[in-house]
Amino acid sequence: MVRNIVFDFGGVLINWNPHNLYDGYFGDKEKAQWFIDNICTSEWNSQMDKGKPFSEGVAELVAIHPEWETEIRVYQSRWHEMVTCQVPGMEELLKDLKAKGYPIYGLTNWSDETMQDEFKRWNIFRLVDDMVVSGREKLLKPDPAIYQCMLSRFKIKPEETVFIDDNLKNVEAAKALGIHAIRFENADNLRRQLTDLQVNI
């Protein structure tokens, strides 16, 4: 029986995407895509998600690509523009789950630096009872160690827990540890999938 619900944040609770910033910044979606694929890549961003200070990560990347210094520094100074809204239907879903007595937890790959302002900015985070943040733990999904950290921190059992993430690798890693896991698409589909797991919504 599922007793605990654990959510990823970016792409599940909030709409985080570098394109939200860079498409407008460059005024050219193809140029923005090239920049995200080749300069401020997801692999580079993961270093900050794992706890590297943003100032250090930015300085290192500027040293490699000095011709893109202004655009690289925008990644940090205008980071909040990458988050445009809460994912539709998710605040309502969390409220419904809490009304039924389910604890709501978070497990996210996120820099501890940029996280602080966003948690104050969006109402949905006030519904989260506790969280494990990669930037604090110096661990990243899909490393099994961060899932073990989550289970230990929240004192929950894998067979009584469902984890929701938009990244398939993270979902599969959770399943490998015996955690029920769902790949997120949208709030309506998630409601149906939770009901299939006999979650009372």
Side-chain angles (χ1 to χ4, degrees):
M1 177 184 293
V2 171
R3 301 180 186 276
N4 313 288
I5 319 291
V6 183
F7 291 92
D8 174 40
F9 290 162
V12 177
L13 300 189
I14 57 169
N15 177 18
W16 175 86
N17 193 316
H19 279 282
N20 294 335
L21 166 62
Y22 281 109
D23 284 3
Y25 180 85
F26 287 118
D28 182 329
K29 290 184 178 180
E30 290 187 6
K31 187 173 183 179
Q33 186 66 62
W34 183 91
F35 181 80
I36 293 165
D37 287 343
N38 294 278
I39 308 297
C40 288
T41 64
S42 60
E43 291 78 14
W44 173 75
N45 181 73
S46 291
Q47 296 178 50
M48 274 62 74
D49 284 351
K50 198 175 181 180
K52 176 178 284 189
F54 248 101
S55 58
E56 184 179 328
V58 166
E60 291 173 354
L61 196 61
V62 166
I64 297 170
H65 301 288
E67 71 279 16
W68 292 102
E69 178 174 2
T70 300
E71 293 79 3
I72 292 168
R73 293 194 183 280
V74 162
Y75 197 99
Q76 180 180 11
S77 64
R78 293 173 59 180
W79 196 94
H80 67 281
E81 295 180 44
M82 298 184 200
V83 183
T84 56
C85 62
Q86 295 181 174
V87 173
M90 290 304 290
E91 183 175 354
E92 294 78 9
L93 175 56
L94 265 64
K95 286 179 177 177
D96 290 345
L97 288 166
K98 289 185 77 71
K100 294 295 185 178
Y102 291 98
I104 302 297
Y105 300 116
L107 176 61
T108 182
N109 284 353
W110 199 341
S111 162
D112 196 36
E113 293 178 70
T114 54
M115 178 189 70
Q116 301 301 329
D117 287 340
E118 297 305 317
F119 279 9
K120 298 172 185 175
R121 186 178 170 200
W122 303 104
N123 290 333
I124 198 165
F125 291 123
R126 297 184 178 91
L127 300 170
V128 178
D129 297 302
D130 202 353
M131 64 195 72
V132 167
V133 178
S134 64
R136 295 175 182 170
E137 308 301 330
K138 309 297 190 291
L139 295 168
L140 285 175
K141 295 177 292 182
D143 184 344
I146 196 168
Y147 297 89
Q148 296 289 4
C149 175
M150 172 195 76
L151 294 170
S152 175
R153 181 78 48 79
F154 305 152
K155 296 180 173 60
I156 58 179
K157 299 177 181 179
E159 66 272 16
E160 295 178 351
T161 301
V162 60
F163 172 62
I164 298 103
D165 198 302
D166 61 322
N167 184 304
L168 181 59
K169 289 182 179 179
N170 298 341
V171 168
E172 295 299 331
K175 288 181 178 179
L177 293 171
I179 300 168
H180 301 284
I182 296 171
R183 187 176 189 184
F184 181 78
E185 297 174 347
N186 58 61
D188 289 340
N189 282 352
L190 179 56
R191 279 183 181 271
R192 288 192 289 270
Q193 290 169 294
L194 288 171
T195 299
D196 289 343
L197 288 171
Q198 299 184 327
V199 173
N200 182 21
I201 305 176

